[in-house]
Amino acid sequence: MPIKVSFTDLQLPKKGVVIFAVYDGKKLGKTALEHDKKLDGLLANTLENANRFKGKKGEMLTLVSPAGSMLSHIVLLGMGDPAKLDTLAAQELGAGLVGLINSLGEKSALLVPDWAEGVALSEEALAANIGFGTCLKSYRFDKYRTTLKPEDKPTAERLAIATPVAKEALTLYGRLEKVADGVFFTRDLVSEPPNVLYPATMADAARSQLADLGVEVEVLGEAEMKKLGMNTLLAVGQGSEKESKLVVMKYYGQGKTKAGDPVVLVGKGVTFDTGGISIKPADGMWDMKYDMGGAGAVLGTMMALAGRKAKATVFGVIACVENMPDGNAQRPGDIVTSMSGQTVEVLNTDAEGRLILADALWYAQDKFKPKVVVDLATLTGAIVVALGNHFAGLYATTQSLADQLLTASKATGERLWQMPLDAVYDKEMESDVADIKNISGGRGGGSANAAAFLRKFIKPETEWAHLDIAGTAWANKDQGVTPKGAVGFGVRLLDQWIAANHEG
Ligand code: BES
Ligand code: MN
Ligand code: ZN
């Protein structure tokens, strides 16, 4: 269970853990100073004697069984330069508290952020964002660990944040907590092993988790997709025992009218990518359980939006398949007709994400006539080469959509870097025998080639952005507000993008 965050007034507890804020230059806040009188100047003395602790962001100094109180620990927490204490810095500070409380072996703690003059955030936003960071970082996926030793189990269960604006902070946090629910839903799905999470169970998860929140969920099986002519999607799944599924989710946030153009989010949901007949090497193939990270992010975003009752109409379409090699699998050289009518020469069965997205994107546009479509996909190893694990690649048909997404990226810390969507990459996708081929055959620019391929399935009137999240869906180490493992990349970003551009 993630840490439960609450907000209280400035009444300090007699027992347990209290964390006091210290700003740059060893400056104690107002509440801390008041409390220090009762402690006979213990905090001031400690700061005077502390040689290394300066109050820089994230620094911590722990006093055990402090004299003159019944508290088990007092922790001094460096807040850094007030002017630099913005939303993301506050979230990071909050994230750091998870490790702290666990290392003390405590269940709960009380934090006194002691808002200071010049902090780049309002008092309630500071408290709420610290709590958001703590909550996000405290996520764990332990359900299959039956022999975890008690000393390895996390102890932290609750964080109380003391602030004179507890009510306002709670209101802000209420919304952030819904976003965290969405992030955790995505992380759960991405963490599940591929024997448990496959297209049908993904569709079940969409139904069971989203229906109660008022999201309409419809699932298309292979027979229905066949009728619609979604052959490039079906071709990817034809080597698997598991039935391919297209999950369509509808959230109406504009009242009961069900009018207006929806924003459509599309996700790549390859629940396991062996590469198919163009099979991948054994080493590291296990990573391909997170090849459904794009679809996972769409599900999590739908949960966040519905949970916080966003005032926007948003549809989600996820293409769920398993890419396996068997006697019925598609072959390199096959030519398949997509739902759009364009024929595709499949030269590499491991370039499968673009094949399923081609049909999912076409279906979404054909059926819902959206003005804007954003897709997320763990699409290419090439984007990992280009940007590492820190940025996702952003491709967009208009600069204004790219700018909206870049702004949301800066606000949430889910980093995007714009990449070229350019006709020069189209040329390399031309086939000798079909309308288009699924790989360029060249050496470089694989992510841009994949984006160029996808653009062939975007209607001229649709504004479209594509996020290549192959490098950002999974974290090999702890970082900021994300523990090691499934990141839930895209949920905070898309939630923020919709809040800023589609709820006006
Ligand atoms: N799912 C992979 C891309 C990927 C790589 C995701 C690393 C996450 C981490 C995708 O389906 C794939 O195999 N792409 C190929 C495309 C190539 C055959 C043109 C790749 O990137 O090698
Ligand atoms: Mn692949
Ligand atoms: Zn893949």
Side-chain angles (χ1 to χ4, degrees), residues 268 270 273 280 288 291 350 352-353 378-379:
K268 169 179 173 181
V270 177
D273 181 13
K280 288 181 182 295
M288 288 302 110
D291 210 16
D350 197 12
E352 84 297 340
T378 48
L379 204 60

Side-chain angles (χ1 to χ4, degrees), residues 62-86:
T62 303
L63 288 79
V64 185
S65 307
S69 85
M70 301 288 285
L71 298 172
S72 71
H73 302 86
I74 290 180
V75 180
L76 299 177
L77 172 68
M79 306 289 277
D81 177 358
K84 290 191 186 140
L85 190 44
D86 57 11

